[in-house]
């Protein structure tokens, strides 16, 4: 009997030990599951917090690309330096009151003028960079853009790339400081008119009035004198099929129309210097 009791007690002891070990294993397994669940929740939370940032960045990039495609404008605000720069490009032909064909690359003044007004009123934009590669275009529209740029209270810099011809000249000199790349060109010529022209003295006087508006603006915003500018306009020995002068890179600086020869690096650096 005593032996049976002893064996029974040993059996209970072994069962209790087994149950104890099993309980520990269950608790350990539950602890691991809870830890895994917490880790999974943490990873999910981090993933959710990163996904909106990526999505927002993607939308901003799409908006920027769409804006460049439609208006040729973008805000340069990711360089970490003080002051955001708004970039405006004057490309192709400066469009006037009539729409040009779909095959022509144009700069529309109805896009540029409101943007310039918004820049003047913005607290987030501290400077304006104007890139030019234009054949010229409508006198009224070109002068309107030039006057708006010249009247901005914020620092402005222009950079002539391929060319800034005809009415592109007043736009190029309308900024506080101007650059031209070494291969950039500027064609300076008298006022032209398309369509019907009435052969009376008043027509010539009207031409003279328009030309005086252009030369007056250019001379008041750069170092060239009116006499020299008019000589360049009426030069007959340079352009074979036209009257006027073509200036390349350093020549535009030599005549005092452009301030300095340089590229985008100098233009942006100068603008940040003016902002600071």
């Amino acid at each position: 009997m005593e032996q049976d009791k002893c064996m029974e007690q040993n059996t209970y002891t072994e069962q209790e030990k087994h149950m104890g070990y099993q309980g520990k294993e269950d608790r350990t397994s539950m602890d691991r599951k809870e830890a895994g669940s917490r880790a999974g929740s943490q990873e999910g939370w981090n993933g959710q917090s990163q996904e909106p940032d990526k999505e927002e960045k993607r939308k901003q990039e799409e908006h920027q690309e769409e804006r460049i495609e439609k208006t040729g404008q973008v805000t340069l605000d990711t360089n970490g330096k003080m002051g955001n720069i708004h970039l405006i490009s004057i490309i192709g032909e400066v469009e006037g009151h009539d729409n040009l064909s779909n095959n022509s690359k144009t700069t529309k003044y109805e896009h540029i003028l409101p943007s310039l007004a918004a820049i003047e009123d913005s607290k987030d934009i501290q400077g304006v960079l104007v890139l030019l590669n234009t054949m010229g275009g409508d006198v009224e529209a070109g002068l309107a853009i030039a006057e708006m740029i010249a009247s901005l209270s914020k620092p402005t810099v222009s950079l002539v790339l391929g060319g800034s011809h005809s009415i592109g000249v007043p736009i190029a000199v309308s900024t506080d400081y101007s650059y031209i790349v070494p291969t950039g060109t500027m064609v300076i010529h008298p006022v032209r008119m398309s369509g019907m022209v009435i052969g009376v003295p008043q027509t010539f006087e009207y031409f003279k009035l328009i030309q005086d508006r252009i030369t007056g603006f250019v001379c008041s915003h750069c170092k060239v004198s009116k006499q020299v500018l008019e000589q360049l306009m009426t030069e007959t020995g340079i352009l074979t099929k036209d009257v006027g002068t073509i200036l390349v890179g350093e020549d535009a600086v030599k005549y005092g129309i452009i301030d300095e020869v340089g590229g985008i690096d100098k233009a942006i650096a100068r603008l940040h210097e003016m902002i600071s």
Side-chain angles (χ1 to χ4, degrees), residues 33-89:
K33 287 181 180 179
E34 288 178 3
S37 177
R38 286 196 297 270
S41 300
Q42 183 68 24
E43 289 177 2
W45 186 83
N46 289 337
Q48 289 177 356
S49 65
Q50 290 173 2
E51 282 301 321
D53 292 340
K54 291 181 179 178
E55 182 68 18
E56 185 176 349
K57 186 177 180 180
R58 185 184 63 81
K59 287 182 179 179
Q60 288 177 350
E61 289 175 350
E62 287 180 355
H63 174 70
Q64 188 179 74
E65 290 173 0
E66 183 181 358
R67 188 181 182 191
I68 292 173
E69 183 179 352
K70 288 185 176 180
T71 66
Q73 301 181 40
V74 66
T75 301
L76 309 178
D77 57 357
T78 58
N79 57 12
K81 295 182 180 180
M82 184 183 71
N84 296 333
I85 296 174
H86 190 87
L87 184 147
I88 294 177
S89 57

Side-chain angles (χ1 to χ4, degrees), residues 197-212:
V197 177
I198 302 174
V200 294
Q202 290 89 332
T203 301
F204 175 77
E205 292 298 326
Y206 180 62
F207 271 47
K208 185 75 167 54
L209 177 63
I210 296 174
Q211 189 161 300
D212 286 343

Side-chain angles (χ1 to χ4, degrees), residues 54-240:
K54 291 181 179 178
E55 182 68 18
E56 185 176 349
K57 186 177 180 180
R58 185 184 63 81
K59 287 182 179 179
Q60 288 177 350
E61 289 175 350
E62 287 180 355
H63 174 70
Q64 188 179 74
E65 290 173 0
E66 183 181 358
R67 188 181 182 191
I68 292 173
E69 183 179 352
K70 288 185 176 180
T71 66
Q73 301 181 40
V74 66
T75 301
L76 309 178
D77 57 357
T78 58
N79 57 12
K81 295 182 180 180
M82 184 183 71
N84 296 333
I85 296 174
H86 190 87
L87 184 147
I88 294 177
S89 57
I90 309 294
I91 54 94
E93 186 172 352
V94 179
E95 196 174 73
H97 302 304
D98 297 323
N99 290 327
L100 298 175
S101 67
N102 293 330
N103 296 328
S104 301
K105 289 187 177 181
T106 63
T107 295
K108 298 179 181 294
Y109 70 88
E110 64 265 30
H111 292 165
I112 302 296
L113 299 183
S115 294
L116 291 171
I119 289 167
E120 177 64 24
D121 190 55
S122 174
K123 64 179 181 179
D124 298 322
I125 297 174
Q126 286 75 41
V128 179
L129 176 63
V130 182
L131 300 183
L132 295 109
N133 186 18
T134 176
M135 59 179 288
D138 186 84
V139 171
E140 301 289 340
L143 282 179
I145 294 171
E147 289 282 10
M148 281 284 284
I149 294 173
S151 63
L152 289 174
S153 63
K154 299 178 180 182
T156 55
V157 170
S158 64
L159 174 60
V160 177
L161 296 168
S164 184
H165 311 311
S166 190
I167 200 63
V169 176
I171 299 176
V173 303
S174 64
T175 55
D176 299 324
Y177 202 83
S178 57
Y179 288 92
I180 186 171
V181 295
T183 58
T185 57
M186 304 183 81
V187 173
I188 300 171
H189 61 74
V191 174
R192 302 186 183 108
M193 183 176 288
S194 60
M196 184 181 68
V197 177
I198 302 174
V200 294
Q202 290 89 332
T203 301
F204 175 77
E205 292 298 326
Y206 180 62
F207 271 47
K208 185 75 167 54
L209 177 63
I210 296 174
Q211 189 161 300
D212 286 343
R213 289 165 60 199
I214 296 171
T215 56
F217 181 90
V218 172
C219 293
S220 63
H221 290 85
C222 66
K223 301 170 186 175
V224 69
S225 66
K226 185 175 181 180
Q227 181 181 0
V228 171
L229 186 61
E230 288 179 346
Q231 286 176 355
L232 295 173
M233 281 184 171
T234 56
E235 177 64 46
T236 58
I238 297 178
L239 302 177
T240 56

